[in-house]
Amino acid sequence: FRLGESGAVAPSRKGMRGNASTKEDACSAPCPEDSGIAPQHPDACIIRIRRSHLMQDALEEVARQNEHDLHKPLKVNFIGEEGVDAGGVKKEFFQLLCETVMQPEYGMFKYQEESRTYWFNGQSLESEADFMLIGLVLGLAIYNSVILDVHFPLCLYKKLLGQSVGIKDLEQMQPEIAQSLKKLLSWNGPGSVEDVFCFDFTVDQGCFGQVKSFELLPGGQNIPVTEDNRHQYVDLYVDFLLNESVRAQFNAFRKGFLLLCDGPVLRLFRPQELEVLVCGTPHLDFKALEANAKYEGSFTAESKVVQWLWTVVGEMSLEDKRKFLKFFTGSDRAPIGGLRKLECTIQRAGPDNDRLPTAH
């Protein structure tokens, strides 16, 4: 990955697959270059996005930035929409982008039903540059203190920190496969491993509606798994799923992530702590949020409406509390340090009394 034009972190994506103009473009908002929004600002990293071309514009806008601009506070502009990014627009941008990039039609990540997590698609047709940019987006969110609604297995964060992964990590991600491998390792009969399991040194994976076979060793389809080589088979199998099959995609993703987040401090994190930094903590203490809240526009902690708000929130189920937090902050998880670390300001939205609550 060499720098793109004018010091950009990646080459321009224009002309790449999926970026062709269509007739619908003429009816949508103007492209970032024609939007009238300045591409650069001395005190901010400017991202200009069309909702109709979210994925395309997001990656192109991130790719054109230079490293100096990426270290500035992020300011997101949805083209054709009025509004000042006081934090809500930025959070919405990351939320929409995460939802979009995980969709099956993009083919960059695969959903794992057992663990409800996403993992790299080793057969993706997307370029390594796009995976690098997705990693950069993850780092950009951390750098701008935005919690993401993404669900990666813990082994991703171990790999980002340069730690080795093994069958215990596979068990968290794909428990059924891991249990089968453990059963193979512990098999003591009746019958031999070769006769009972009928395995060879290959892995079968689905690839765009077809099953493709990959050899774990040269000539692996002709090497049966036996009592003597089953440990080697399991080691190679796990390494293939977690490392070898996604090596190009993960290395590109990691390169983008480390572009903003690399440094001595990162080495102090444990994988679980890095996950919390990205996704927040699932524990929700709304009493701490209430105690830390500030009030403006004639509201005080004693205002009847404010008291009603905290009473209603306190009586919500955990699921409804998560929904309220997502409406309020853009994420259903708390930041590091819990909800007491959130800057919560409640204010009157003008003189009207028939308006629904808004958040930004």
Side-chain angles (χ1 to χ4, degrees), residues 84-349:
V84 177
D85 187 1
V89 178
K90 178 170 57 182
K91 291 175 182 177
E92 183 186 11
F93 161 69
F94 280 113
Q95 178 184 337
L96 292 175
L97 183 59
C98 286
E99 291 175 356
T100 302
V101 77
M102 297 300 176
Q103 291 176 2
E105 52 261 38
Y106 283 101
M108 298 183 74
F109 297 91
K110 296 189 294 186
Y111 182 65
Q112 302 174 125
E113 187 69 40
E114 291 179 274
S115 58
R116 297 179 181 177
T117 59
Y118 289 89
W119 190 240
F120 299 93
N121 180 5
Q123 307 304 310
S124 175
L125 298 178
E126 300 300 330
S127 69
E128 291 180 31
D130 279 1
F131 280 96
M132 187 200 77
L133 292 171
I134 296 300
L136 179 56
V137 166
L138 190 71
L140 200 59
I142 292 176
Y143 192 78
N144 286 271
S145 302
V146 176
I147 296 174
L148 298 179
D149 185 18
V150 294
H151 303 280
F152 291 120
L154 187 63
C155 66
L156 171 75
Y157 302 101
K158 293 181 71 172
K159 285 168 66 68
L160 285 174
L161 293 173
Q163 299 180 10
S164 59
V165 292
I167 194 169
K168 288 185 178 180
D169 301 289
L170 181 63
E171 190 169 16
Q172 292 181 346
M173 190 171 84
Q174 297 182 331
E176 188 174 332
I177 292 178
Q179 288 301 319
S180 297
L181 294 175
K182 285 186 172 182
K183 186 175 181 179
L184 168 65
L185 292 175
S186 62
W187 185 259
N188 289 319
S192 67
V193 166
E194 184 176 357
D195 292 337
V196 172
F197 288 89
C198 302
F199 286 167
D200 55 34
F201 276 73
T202 61
V203 176
D204 292 334
Q205 286 194 328
C207 178
F208 300 106
Q210 298 180 337
V211 177
K212 192 173 181 180
S213 184
F214 300 87
E215 292 187 333
L216 298 175
L217 287 174
Q221 62 181 349
N222 299 317
I223 304 175
V225 177
T226 66
E227 281 83 357
D228 295 332
N229 63 16
R230 56 183 170 180
H231 284 278
Q232 181 188 20
Y233 168 78
V234 170
D235 289 343
L236 289 172
Y237 197 107
V238 172
D239 182 68
F240 178 84
L241 294 182
L242 299 184
N243 297 314
E244 193 60 38
S245 64
V246 297
R247 188 174 301 280
Q249 292 79 14
F250 172 77
N251 284 345
F253 179 90
R254 185 172 187 265
K255 185 178 181 69
F257 176 79
L258 294 180
L259 190 64
L260 273 180
C261 296
D262 196 14
V265 175
L266 184 65
R267 306 294 178 261
L268 300 177
F269 282 90
R270 295 183 298 120
Q272 295 85 349
E273 293 169 336
L274 184 56
E275 181 182 25
V276 170
L277 194 63
V278 174
C279 305
T281 173
H283 176 66
L284 304 178
D285 182 3
F286 274 86
K287 287 295 183 182
L289 180 66
E290 180 181 355
N292 192 49
K294 298 178 181 178
Y295 304 94
E296 295 179 359
S298 78
F299 276 164
T300 68
E302 287 72 37
S303 298
K304 207 68 177 175
V305 173
V306 171
Q307 293 178 354
W308 288 341
L309 170 67
W310 294 122
T311 298
V312 170
V313 170
E315 294 174 352
M316 287 179 176
S317 66
L318 179 59
E319 183 62 26
D320 284 341
K321 284 181 178 179
R322 292 191 185 284
K323 291 179 181 178
F324 173 78
L325 190 63
K326 190 163 188 176
F327 161 76
F328 176 52
T329 69
S331 172
D332 64 358
R333 290 191 170 211
I336 291 178
L339 292 182
R340 65 185 178 86
K341 293 294 185 179
L342 275 179
E343 295 184 5
C344 170
T345 301
I346 299 174
Q347 62 183 24
R348 188 184 301 275

